[in-house]
Amino acid sequence: MTTTVAITAEDFERIAPVLGPCELVQGEIVRMSPGGFEHSRITVRVVFLLESHSRRDKLGRVLTNEAGMVVRRGPDTVRGADALFISFRRLPRSENWKGFLQQVPELVVEVLSEDDSWKKMEEKIADYHTFGVDMVWVIDPRTLAVRLYPRGAEPFVLHSTDEIDGGELLPGFRCRVAEFFGD
């Protein structure tokens, strides 16, 4: 009989830089494939649009590059978001955080990769909501749509011709969904 030892978020943080793309799920390291061209292109568009708005209106920070968040303890789970927004209310300007984020962002954005399954994505969304994330956007390049998952409410879909907005979480943010996919 083999026994596995769950590692902590702190141990994971020390070794993650040499492992390549991965997450810690219930104490176990789960490898992820690097984002392909389409995934990376869409992620940078989302980050550019969110960061431009957030910076202009001085609302908070936008993080990317599989931004690590400790979403659960015992056993620990560290999820990596394609992009996220956390307001200065939740993480004040004066706090220069080091390491994985332990404060809850308002918004997490995931770009569905070719090898992502909806089952795995829904597990990730459940972890984000349990952590307290208010809204998760899942951008699907295959359908040119965004599925919005508000915490405590039913998800819904916006298509490329629809407009997406930040609501109360990211006041004043608004763009056509198509802008996430365009060059």
Side-chain angles (χ1 to χ4, degrees):
M1 178 162 98
T2 59
T3 307
T4 58
V5 177
I7 67 171
T8 66
E10 291 73 21
D11 289 340
F12 179 62
E13 188 167 13
R14 280 191 289 279
I15 63 172
V18 298
L19 296 176
C22 58
E23 292 180 317
L24 184 68
V25 180
Q26 297 183 11
E28 293 187 28
I29 296 170
V30 176
R31 295 211 180 261
M32 300 170 9
S33 63
F37 179 82
E38 189 73 359
H39 181 275
S40 297
R41 187 178 69 82
I42 292 169
T43 301
V44 79
R45 289 287 302 149
V46 169
V47 169
F48 173 77
L49 292 165
L50 292 176
E51 174 71 8
S52 297
H53 176 76
S54 178
R55 184 175 291 258
R56 183 188 69 231
D57 291 357
K58 298 176 177 65
L59 299 173
R61 295 178 177 96
V62 176
L63 304 179
T64 188
N65 197 29
E66 299 302 326
M69 291 173 281
V70 181
V71 298
R72 185 183 313 137
R73 294 285 187 172
D76 292 358
T77 296
V78 177
R79 293 294 191 173
D82 288 327
L84 65 82
F85 167 77
I86 186 165
S87 70
F88 288 131
R89 284 179 284 120
R90 292 191 183 179
L91 185 61
R93 282 188 182 107
S94 60
E95 291 188 35
N96 289 318
W97 190 258
K98 303 249 189 278
F100 294 141
L101 194 60
Q102 296 188 38
Q103 295 87 347
V104 180
E106 283 87 344
L107 171 67
V108 167
V109 181
E110 291 289 349
V111 178
L112 200 62
S113 295
E114 288 181 24
D115 62 341
D116 285 334
S117 73
W118 277 106
K119 181 182 184 300
K120 292 286 185 193
M121 185 58 70
E122 287 171 356
E123 289 171 6
K124 204 169 183 177
I125 293 163
D127 282 344
Y128 291 143
H129 283 166
T130 299
F131 183 47
V133 173
D134 299 299
M135 175 68 79
V136 179
W137 294 349
V138 179
I139 299 176
D140 187 347
R142 291 174 286 234
T143 61
L144 302 179
V146 179
R147 291 188 192 191
L148 291 82
Y149 292 82
R151 187 167 45 99
E154 288 296 313
F156 58 99
V157 177
L158 295 175
H159 300 280
S160 62
T161 56
D162 295 326
E163 192 169 77
I164 190 167
D165 69 65
E168 294 176 9
L169 305 175
L170 194 58
F173 177 81
R174 169 175 259 104
C175 72
R176 290 237 175 262
V177 169
E179 288 185 57
F180 294 153
F181 304 105
D183 277 332

